[in-house]
Amino acid sequence: FLLIFFFTRMREERLIPDLVTWNAMISGFVQSQRAGEAFKLFQDMLCSGIMPNQVTFTGLLPACGLIGSIHRGREIHGFICRMEMDVNAFVATALIDVYSKCGSMRDAWNVFNSISCKNIASWNAMIRCYGNNGMVDLAVELFLRMQDEGIQANEVTFTSILSSCSHGGLVDKGLGIFKLMKEQYGIEASKEHYSSVVDLLCRSGRLEEAYDTVKEMPIEASESIVGAFLNGCMVHE
């Protein structure tokens, strides 16, 4: 609200906000779940003669996912193309997330495929995209391809792929990846990872293994872990 106050005062006093200020305001509205105001501010910025940059689009694109508007996402994507802007990994990742939330796998894949220097966030976004849209085999395939290309998976990668295996019922594959995470990558399992593993076991009716996993965890059980176990008990009672 303080940022909004200063921004309003600047405009009332006919001071011209610079691009950094516009970007901060747009990003602030999006993070506050105020997508409509973020789009309006973007229009005002263009009308004031300030041209957007990659930071602008990285901040604005999540607003399309908030309202589930693939039309608005494609509109902004087209604007980026018309500007002939170099799309960095951050903008591309934001575009993948938009298309993922709107269910357009082809658009998401085309963006991912067009990134010349993919970073770990780009790979994670595409894996999450496949997993969230029920294309579990493709999520696992992309995870394996990432390994082949020497990209070091991180905690977010494993959260996404374990969740995908859980929703797709790939029990053995998911448990193998969980073991790989700890033994080969040396990543300590978080509550999110354990929640996916418990959910994975419960969905397949392996309640005793799920219970043992919860008992043997070196961390305190979160609500999501307990919820996954209880839901499994209800389904397989």
Side-chain angles (χ1 to χ4, degrees):
F1 289 108
L2 190 60
L3 186 58
I4 295 173
F5 171 76
F6 283 119
F7 184 78
T8 303
R9 285 292 300 273
M10 286 180 69
R11 300 185 75 181
E12 287 175 350
E13 296 177 13
R14 297 185 179 180
L15 298 174
I16 301 175
D18 60 10
L19 180 57
V20 173
T21 305
W22 284 102
N23 287 348
M25 285 300 302
I26 290 170
S27 180
F29 276 128
V30 174
Q31 291 174 22
S32 300
Q33 311 285 303
R34 297 161 69 174
E37 289 165 280
F39 289 128
K40 175 65 167 59
L41 206 60
F42 178 66
Q43 292 290 341
D44 290 346
M45 185 186 78
L46 295 179
C47 290
S48 70
I50 302 293
M51 293 304 293
N53 62 5
Q54 293 173 333
V55 176
T56 314
F57 293 115
T58 302
L60 179 64
L61 281 165
C64 304
L66 287 176
I67 61 175
S69 174
I70 192 169
H71 171 74
R72 188 61 68 98
R74 284 175 174 159
E75 190 176 73
I76 294 173
H77 192 179
F79 188 90
I80 293 170
C81 293
R82 288 194 297 276
M83 286 183 64
E84 298 184 351
M85 177 183 291
D86 289 331
V87 177
N88 63 19
F90 297 103
V91 176
T93 299
L95 281 168
I96 291 169
D97 281 334
V98 169
Y99 288 133
S100 172
K101 289 174 181 176
C102 295
S104 180
M105 299 300 99
R106 179 177 295 180
D107 286 320
W109 174 254
N110 286 341
V111 172
F112 177 78
N113 218 27
S114 70
I115 306 172
S116 55
C117 296
K118 299 177 180 66
N119 63 10
I120 185 61
S122 307
W123 287 91
N124 288 347
M126 197 63 220
I127 289 171
R128 184 169 59 249
C129 174
Y130 280 141
N132 289 346
N133 287 276
M135 305 173 76
V136 183
D137 289 337
L138 289 176
V140 173
E141 182 181 314
L142 196 62
F143 171 73
L144 296 175
R145 176 182 157 190
M146 186 178 77
Q147 288 183 291
D148 291 340
E149 295 195 15
I151 306 298
Q152 183 73 17
N154 61 14
E155 291 185 8
V156 177
T157 313
F158 286 104
T159 298
S160 298
I161 196 64
L162 286 171
S163 177
S164 298
C165 290
S166 175
H167 290 294
L170 302 181
V171 183
D172 293 334
K173 178 69 70 174
L175 294 176
I177 289 172
F178 184 64
K179 182 179 180 181
L180 180 76
M181 178 186 78
K182 295 191 293 183
E183 296 182 356
Q184 182 171 321
Y185 286 82
I187 296 176
E188 292 296 325
S190 67
K191 292 179 180 180
E192 288 76 16
H193 298 136
Y194 276 114
S195 179
S196 292
V197 170
V198 170
D199 186 56
L200 178 71
L201 292 167
C202 286
R203 283 173 182 263
S204 60
R206 294 161 67 168
L207 299 180
E208 289 187 13
E209 289 181 62
Y211 182 61
D212 289 340
T213 299
V214 174
K215 285 197 305 180
E216 295 167 7
M217 287 188 313
I219 59 177
E220 183 180 351
S222 65
E223 289 185 9
S224 62
I225 294 172
V226 174
F229 180 72
L230 292 178
N231 286 336
C233 291
M234 291 175 62
V235 172
H236 296 283
E237 63 178 353

